Amino acid sequence: MRIVCPFCGERELGEFTYLGDAKPVRPEAGASEDEVFDYVYLRDNVAGQTSEYWYHGGGCRAWLKLTRNTLTHEISSVEPAAGVGARQAVK
Amino acid sequence: MTSQSHRLTSGGLIDRSASLNFRFDGKAFSGFQGDTLASALIANGIKLVGRSFKYHRPRGILTSGSEEPNALVELRTGARREPNTKATTAELYEGLEAASQNRWPSLRHDVMSVNQLFAPIFVAGFYYKTFMWPAKFWEAIYEPAIRRAAGLGRAAGVADPDHYDKAWAHCDVLIAGSGPAGLAAALAAGRAGARVILCEEDFSLGGRLLSDGGTIDGVPAAEWLSRTLAKLADMPDVRIMPRTTLFGVYDGGTYGAIERVNDHLPSPPEHQVRQRLWRIVARRCVVAAGAIERPIVFAGNDTPGVMMASAMRTYIARYAATPAKRVALFTNNEDGWRTVETALGAGLQIAAVIDARPDISPAHRSLASKSAFPVLHGSVTGVDGGKDGVRKIAVSLTGDARAEVEADGLAVSGGWNPAVGLTSYHRGRPKWRDDIAAFVPDGAPPGMVAAGAANGDFGLSACLSQGFAAGAAAARDAGHSGKAGTAPVADDEAFSLTPLWHVAGKGKAFVDYQHDVTASDIELAQREGFESVEHLKRYTTLGMATDQGKTSNVAGLAIMAAVSGRSIPETGTTIYRPPYVPVAIGAFAGHHRDETFHATRLTPSHHWAVEQGAVFVDTGLWKRAQWYPRAGEKDWLDSVTREVKAVRGGVGFCDVSTLGKIDVHGPDAGAFLDRVYINTFSNLAVGKARYGLMLREDGMVYDDGTTSRLAEDHYFLTTTTAKAGLVMQHLEFCRQVLFPELDVQLTSVSDQWAQFSIAGPKTRDLLKEIVDPAEDLSNEGFPFMGAREVRLRGGLKARLFRISFSGEMAFEISVPARFGGAMARNLMLAGAPFGVTPYGTEALGVMRVEKGHIAGPELSGTTTAADLGLGKMMSTKKDYIGRVMAGRKALVAPDRQVVVGIKPTDKARRLRSGAHIIPKGQTPGPDNDQGYVTSVCFSPTSDQWIGLALVERGRERIGEIVHAHDPIRGEDYDVELCNPVFYDPDGGRQRG
């Protein structure tokens, strides 16, 4: 598998580390235990397009958001994950 | 030495000037350079080469390629002995030694061949049905007995002495196969300007051209081949890799290939590898891997001397070796007849052609009459013969008539199956083509296309034009617009076939030769309900041997289709998975074995520590000094005890550079740390250090360490050794993904700083010798938890931290990593008057247990801050990672297991970690298990063993005597729960 890092170009899988689903957004400080529980534990088991976090630890150390099809492994987009998991808007 | 009795006097692609001696089952033979072991055996008249897996039936050579199911040998001897090596692909070399497999006492007289008499019980599902009961007999009796009786070769049993390499390659167009289609593709893509890699598993390039000849562009195939190879050699961007099999297709245009660099030599030359595993990244891939001729299933079809028709041509034409003197052909298609032409050309006799088709071409009819051999329209129903080979062939003719043919060799052609493995490795299912009665690729992984025989188009002309077109298109798709020129041309060849899979008859008719699966096994599986191909495969083991059913799968499906009343495409195929050929585990490991299994990290003072005679311990990738033995010390405990006493009574130092170190810069650095630590850092004064604890988002403790504020906008954060990389990754996630609004930057500086802990009451005396006299190191000028940059004598700048893991008056000092070795030497010199003692990780550990500090065993991923006695650090005034989940009911329950100290009631007793804590007087068991011992040490300060444990409600039970139960070591003893801080509980020493 190969990932086109937006900063480093096309690189081999071994340079990256997978974290997981990029859909959940971290709840704000006053959130209830249930909301945080959902954020920490609940994930969809998607057959098809998913968004997921990958870390380019063997390269630029950027966290990336990939759109990947779990059925074909096709990666349709790779973008910096800056602010993807944040409730607050980026300044 | 036996003469090469079955070698033609001329012809073949062998070097008759290079005679090679070899041994098979101890007997000496000779062959030529250019032979395979199989062709050399055939040239010496050897027909019997092995015994079959289950029935121990005599077996000969069936094919001439990597699809071979029968001719498996143990190649080489001693540590290099390699079982299940195909004689058909093993290149002959001087001194080669091979042995047949699965026979005792000898190949010709094999005791286990009595298994054939019990054949009725060795049917499909035999193991499942027979050895159900009694269960305890399985391991003791059945399995060992079966393992002795069945099986293939023996592994060497000792470490492989050879090296294996792993490498990457990149290209525009990757081509599998160097037959006419592959070479035409390489020509087109190369001329267009693409970077091309062509992999060929054979040691000679040309594929079937080497055996079948033909005319291309008006010249003989051999001449076209040498001209084409010369042209390709002139193209600098075309790389031809012989002895290299493309075995797998992975995501994103990544391919696996195994190069047998030195398998054709007795052992690799010095400093060379045996095999190399290639990962090839290609924009486009042309699969020109050809097709595999398939057998017809009939009784006795495994008799030595029965051979694929194309293989027989190969042995005669390419190797000038004659598998038989009087050849019969059994075919259902036009292509099989080529073997007759080749055999006649070599002066062999044709006993008969048995053609299952109702009619044959006029050309073949006239060939038969000219060469005076009979053409029998019918099928082979049985073979009379044995370990000495074929003697007679029984034929059933149309209209119930029967005939017998005397021959010593039977060539069989049941048609051709395109090699659909590579195109199907992404769960692709091939589609059925009626006209050739074979599965062909139905699409392929992205960027891949099949051409020629691999695509089901077998004619030479089609192979050339398809290969050329595929190569040109691949180059164009990869962005190369150069002119490819025109495709090579050849005359079209007819290919007509009447499907024939199985001829009914008396006796065993083999489908899968390597796993001894017969036609009746498949029929039985169907009767017992295992109709699905995936069930059929597992129930009968069809296609599960090392050849992965290359010669057997399609015939097996066809027989299943016939008995279940379905068509072949309705019956379907099993999933194709890599590798296409067996690949040694050693090749996948490459150089990652033994001491080079992983990279090794050395601390900045490593070489100095080696000079000191330190004993090292592996911690992750690091080598750390564990203790420094001195003359007269009888064991590690002596050394460690001395080191601890030296620190507690004087001064010692330890390299702690393995800790993770991260510079946190920016106006929001404090705010950022507040969100990742449970305690607050934004209010930390410049010039001060603070212990911090971070949680995972699920509320469990993640890591701990000391963080110092060196400037308003600059913190220096440390992590544990084990989590250094992971914490960096976690903090980057927090910074980039969760808190992008914070203006903060992280820089890993773990490798940039050498850090030493200097500890003991004389620490300040030692430091004064190192640090510039202008620096104030007094308790007032540099109080406990102070942190700042200082100038050393000589001008070097260092970071100095007044922190203590040992509980003594202590500093940690950081200097640029390149000065680490010098710093260790300077500490020894400057500290000599104070009796300075280097200490290792063991003494470090002893002092931390004495001090009740938590470390790896307590930071187990299942403990909360409160479990560790650090609950008060959890700020209630801010949000931080893990805050909400840490408040869950079960995580704050009063009966959680918490850190507590333990000491044995018998002062002389040794403690061991892992022992379970049971209330006194109760029987050990899961119901009353209250925790376990996490860390232990012999404490020189307490003069007894002490430890830390996680115990239910431990802090409320100080003073209680409980039971330590250690079933692994068979130990039971009482311990007292106590305060985990055994040494200087007030902390006066570290603040003094």
Side-chain angles (χ1 to χ4, degrees):
Chain A
M1 189 165 144
R2 300 178 67 76
I3 295 173
V4 182
C5 172
F7 304 107
C8 308
E10 184 181 319
R11 297 299 177 93
E12 186 265 324
L13 177 67
E15 294 188 4
F16 299 87
T17 308
Y18 174 78
L19 179 71
D21 194 347
K23 212 167 72 181
V25 169
R26 189 168 193 272
E28 279 180 86
S32 70
E33 191 179 303
D34 284 349
E35 283 177 78
V36 180
F37 183 90
D38 286 0
Y39 166 69
V40 173
Y41 292 107
L42 291 192
R43 297 290 181 273
D44 293 331
N45 185 13
V46 179
Q49 295 288 337
T50 57
S51 61
E52 48 198 36
Y53 289 123
W54 288 78
Y55 178 58
H56 195 190
C60 58
R61 287 184 177 152
W63 276 95
L64 305 173
K65 185 185 147 190
L66 264 71
T67 307
R68 188 175 69 96
N69 189 315
T70 57
L71 296 175
T72 63
H73 295 187
E74 188 196 356
I75 299 165
S76 49
S77 82
V78 188
E79 48 193 273
V84 165
R87 179 70 69 181
Q88 285 166 270
V90 183
K91 267 190 261 184
Chain B
M1 183 166 308
T2 317
S3 67
Q4 297 179 34
S5 56
H6 287 58
R7 183 79 75 181
L8 296 169
T9 50
S10 66
L13 303 172
I14 44 169
D15 181 356
R16 289 170 197 263
S17 67
S19 177
L20 302 172
N21 299 303
F22 71 101
R23 283 175 178 274
F24 179 64
D25 277 346
K27 203 173 165 197
F29 297 99
S30 75
F32 292 121
Q33 189 74 49
D35 262 327
T36 61
L37 173 59
S39 69
L41 288 169
I42 287 171
N44 285 282
I46 303 297
K47 286 188 172 171
L48 174 65
V49 296
R51 290 275 172 173
S52 76
F53 182 68
K54 202 156 70 173
Y55 301 122
H56 290 244
R57 287 175 59 111
R59 290 285 165 83
I61 295 161
L62 185 72
T63 74
S64 59
S66 65
E67 69 271 30
E68 176 63 30
N70 277 348
L72 306 183
V73 297
E74 288 174 355
L75 191 64
R76 301 184 166 86
T77 55
R80 290 195 167 88
R81 187 174 72 205
E82 194 181 345
N84 309 330
T85 305
K86 294 165 193 127
T88 50
T89 57
E91 279 177 67
L92 197 66
Y93 55 79
E94 175 63 32
L96 179 147
E97 287 192 54
S100 57
Q101 303 184 157
N102 202 28
R103 83 289 188 270
W104 188 84
S106 78
L107 184 55
R108 292 191 64 81
H109 303 284
D110 174 35
V111 168
M112 294 307 287
S113 58
V114 296
N115 275 7
Q116 289 185 71
L117 304 178
F118 301 108
I121 66 164
F122 285 117
V123 293
F126 156 71
Y127 301 108
Y128 306 122
K129 289 167 183 164
T130 312
F131 299 118
M132 300 287 287
W133 181 90
K136 65 180 177 188
F137 272 35
W138 179 253
E139 273 184 39
I141 296 169
Y142 297 144
E143 191 180 324
I146 292 166
R147 283 198 186 282
R148 266 197 304 278
L152 298 168
R154 302 162 300 156
V158 288
D160 188 335
D162 292 329
H163 294 278
Y164 297 80
D165 199 9
K166 287 200 285 192
W168 285 92
H170 297 257
C171 65
D172 296 315
V173 181
L174 174 66
I175 299 166
S178 72
L183 291 177
L187 266 183
R191 282 183 192 147
R195 289 181 306 154
V196 176
I197 293 177
L198 184 150
C199 299
E200 167 55 59
E201 71 175 345
D202 204 324
F203 53 92
S204 290
L205 301 164
R208 289 301 303 170
L209 291 178
L210 299 174
S211 306
D212 289 351
T215 303
I216 304 175
D217 284 346
V219 298
E223 196 179 326
W224 181 83
L225 179 60
S226 63
R227 282 186 199 173
T228 302
L229 293 179
K231 281 180 203 161
L232 293 173
D234 279 344
M235 298 182 189
D237 285 338
V238 175
R239 176 175 188 176
I240 309 276
M241 297 176 67
R243 300 187 173 106
T244 305
T245 308
L246 207 62
F247 66 76
V249 183
Y250 304 93
D251 288 318
T254 308
Y255 299 83
I258 183 72
E259 182 184 11
R260 288 168 292 276
V261 185
N262 282 307
D263 273 4
H264 60 296
L265 299 176
S267 62
E270 210 180 345
H271 305 304
Q272 283 198 30
V273 296
R274 171 86 176 272
Q275 298 180 351
R276 184 175 291 122
L277 186 92
W278 285 95
R279 281 173 286 181
I280 302 174
V281 181
R283 292 181 195 283
R284 290 289 181 273
C285 178
V286 178
V287 175
I292 293 170
E293 196 173 26
R294 61 196 184 209
I296 299 170
V297 180
F298 54 85
N301 62 343
D302 65 329
T303 311
V306 177
M307 184 180 276
M308 299 317 304
S310 58
M312 195 174 282
R313 296 206 285 283
T314 296
Y315 288 116
I316 297 169
R318 176 173 169 183
Y319 300 107
T322 55
K325 304 283 185 202
R326 190 177 153 79
V327 177
L329 168 72
F330 178 24
T331 184
N332 66 346
N333 67 83
E334 200 71 5
D335 190 67
W337 277 82
R338 291 183 180 206
T339 303
V340 171
E341 293 161 14
T342 303
L344 287 171
L348 303 181
Q349 259 189 312
I350 301 299
V353 171
I354 301 113
D355 198 319
R357 295 173 299 169
D359 209 2
I360 60 168
S361 71
H364 287 148
R365 196 172 296 289
S366 72
L367 177 70
S369 70
K370 193 178 88 190
S371 307
F373 61 81
V375 177
L376 308 173
H377 291 284
S379 299
V380 173
T381 53
V383 174
D384 179 13
K387 57 193 173 194
D388 293 317
V390 174
R391 285 189 295 270
K392 267 187 215 160
I393 298 152
V395 180
S396 108
L397 303 171
T398 32
D400 276 354
R402 298 191 168 275
E404 266 193 353
V405 175
E406 283 195 23
D408 63 345
L410 174 59
V412 179
S413 179
W416 290 81
N417 290 326
V420 294
L422 290 172
T423 49
S424 304
Y425 282 154
H426 284 196
R427 290 186 84 86
R429 302 275 189 167
K431 68 181 175 208
W432 183 254
R433 230 175 86 182
D434 261 328
D435 61 329
I436 56 169
F439 284 103
V440 297
D442 185 12
M448 181 189 271
V449 66
N455 199 33
D457 294 302
F458 302 132
L460 181 55
S461 165
C463 286
L464 290 166
S465 61
Q466 270 191 22
F468 194 86
R476 199 167 51 242
D477 292 348
H480 294 276
S481 51
K483 282 206 171 77
T486 52
V489 289
D491 288 337
D492 255 328
E493 299 156 23
F495 181 80
S496 76
L497 165 143
T498 303
L500 175 65
W501 305 101
H502 177 208
V503 184
K506 276 189 186 155
K508 290 201 173 308
F510 286 89
V511 181
D512 184 329
Y513 292 79
Q514 196 173 133
H515 261 174
D516 271 356
V517 180
T518 63
S520 58
D521 286 330
I522 295 172
E523 289 158 2
L524 180 68
Q526 190 271 334
R527 284 202 301 279
E528 296 184 345
F530 297 95
E531 248 182 40
S532 142
V533 284
E534 299 287 1
H535 290 158
L536 168 69
K537 173 177 172 176
R538 278 133 191 108
Y539 195 55
T540 62
T541 73
L542 170 74
M544 289 173 72
T546 66
D547 64 345
Q548 291 285 288
K550 288 185 175 61
T551 55
S552 63
N553 278 343
V554 178
L557 301 177
I559 293 170
M560 175 56 84
V563 294
S564 60
R566 295 172 295 173
S567 70
I568 293 171
E570 276 168 355
T571 305
T573 60
T574 54
I575 297 267
Y576 292 83
R577 294 187 181 89
Y580 185 72
V581 293
V583 181
I585 299 289
F588 283 109
H591 293 294
H592 297 281
R593 56 178 281 186
D594 305 323
E595 71 275 10
T596 52
F597 178 67
H598 59 64
T600 301
R601 298 178 78 181
L602 302 182
T603 63
S605 66
H606 181 82
H607 299 295
W608 165 83
V610 171
E611 289 166 23
Q612 298 292 312
V615 171
F616 292 92
V617 60
D618 288 339
T619 38
L621 303 182
W622 292 100
K623 296 263 180 224
R624 297 190 72 182
Q626 198 173 10
W627 65 84
Y628 297 82
R630 282 198 187 157
E633 289 171 347
K634 69 177 191 306
D635 61 8
W636 65 274
L637 190 54
D638 268 6
S639 307
V640 172
T641 300
R642 169 185 50 77
E643 289 172 15
V644 171
K645 284 181 171 165
V647 173
R648 298 254 186 254
V651 62
F653 71 92
C654 177
D655 190 330
V656 294
S657 310
T658 59
L659 294 178
K661 302 183 238 14
I662 300 167
D663 269 333
V664 185
H665 286 278
D668 294 329
F672 175 76
L673 294 176
D674 285 349
R675 296 192 195 183
V676 297
Y677 280 119
I678 63 172
N679 47 336
T680 308
F681 279 85
S682 53
N683 62 4
L684 182 67
V686 173
K688 296 292 273 184
R690 182 171 284 168
Y691 173 74
L693 196 67
M694 53 178 81
L695 307 186
R696 302 189 307 228
E697 197 71 276
D698 68 0
M700 296 297 177
V701 172
Y702 188 46
D703 198 51
D704 70 344
T706 309
T707 289
S708 312
R709 191 169 198 174
L710 299 177
E712 195 61 33
D713 60 352
H714 180 197
Y715 290 79
F716 176 69
L717 180 156
T718 63
T719 76
T720 59
T721 298
K723 293 263 172 57
L726 290 170
V727 168
M728 183 69 193
Q729 180 177 326
H730 168 69
L731 294 182
E732 282 290 6
F733 182 80
C734 295
R735 183 185 75 84
Q736 296 177 35
V737 180
L738 301 181
F739 313 127
E741 72 279 9
L742 297 181
D743 187 357
V744 60
Q745 291 300 324
L746 305 170
T747 313
S748 169
V749 291
S750 296
D751 287 336
Q752 277 65 35
W753 293 99
Q755 192 151 323
F756 293 87
S757 167
I758 306 166
K762 293 180 183 165
T763 294
R764 213 178 264 122
D765 299 331
L766 169 54
L767 267 182
K768 279 179 182 160
E769 302 294 320
I770 300 273
V771 176
D772 191 297
E775 302 282 355
D776 183 1
L777 298 181
S778 70
N779 217 17
E780 296 72 37
F782 213 128
F784 184 57
M785 298 310 271
R788 67 164 189 260
E789 194 177 87
V790 295
R791 181 182 292 274
L792 304 187
R793 288 174 189 266
L796 185 67
K797 280 184 178 173
R799 290 175 180 177
L800 195 60
F801 310 91
R802 188 155 166 215
I803 53 181
S804 176
F805 197 47
S806 57
E808 294 301 329
M809 154 70 199
F811 280 88
E812 285 189 15
I813 187 165
S814 286
V815 292
R818 65 185 183 280
F819 296 109
M823 177 55 86
R825 287 173 213 281
N826 276 340
L827 287 169
M828 287 299 276
L829 276 175
F834 316 106
V836 70
T837 302
Y839 65 97
T841 55
E842 281 300 319
L844 185 86
V846 168
M847 289 188 279
R848 78 100 185 160
V849 174
E850 287 183 333
K851 197 59 192 156
H853 286 311
I854 52 163
E858 291 78 34
L859 297 169
S860 61
T862 60
T863 45
T864 66
D867 296 344
L868 303 175
L870 303 170
K872 289 202 177 90
M873 285 172 63
M874 299 168 77
S875 169
T876 53
K877 296 178 181 143
K878 58 165 185 131
D879 187 34
Y880 55 85
I881 299 284
R883 180 185 63 89
V884 177
M885 288 292 93
R888 281 182 288 171
K889 204 171 159 190
L891 269 61
V892 295
D895 60 349
R896 285 188 65 84
Q897 298 178 356
V898 300
V899 168
V900 66
I902 55 163
K903 49 191 179 188
T905 51
D906 171 6
K907 227 185 150 195
R909 167 165 278 284
R910 178 177 183 168
L911 298 180
R912 291 183 194 272
S913 6
H916 286 255
I917 301 296
I918 310 290
K920 188 102 175 95
Q922 292 194 22
T923 312
D927 293 340
N928 46 27
D929 190 327
Q930 294 191 327
Y932 64 101
V933 179
T934 53
S935 302
V936 299
C937 71
F938 176 77
S939 164
T941 320
S942 316
D943 195 29
Q944 69 168 106
W945 284 80
I946 59 170
L948 301 176
L950 283 163
V951 180
E952 234 174 81
R953 298 178 187 270
R955 283 192 287 271
E956 303 162 22
R957 297 165 65 183
I958 301 297
E960 184 180 330
I961 308 292
V962 294
H963 192 67
H965 174 63
D966 191 342
I968 289 178
R969 295 152 183 126
E971 293 180 350
D972 282 281
Y973 47 89
D974 288 345
V975 296
E976 182 191 333
L977 303 182
C978 60
N979 184 337
V981 188
F982 294 87
Y983 182 73
D984 187 29
D986 307 333
R989 294 181 71 90
Q990 62 197 19
R991 279 191 296 273

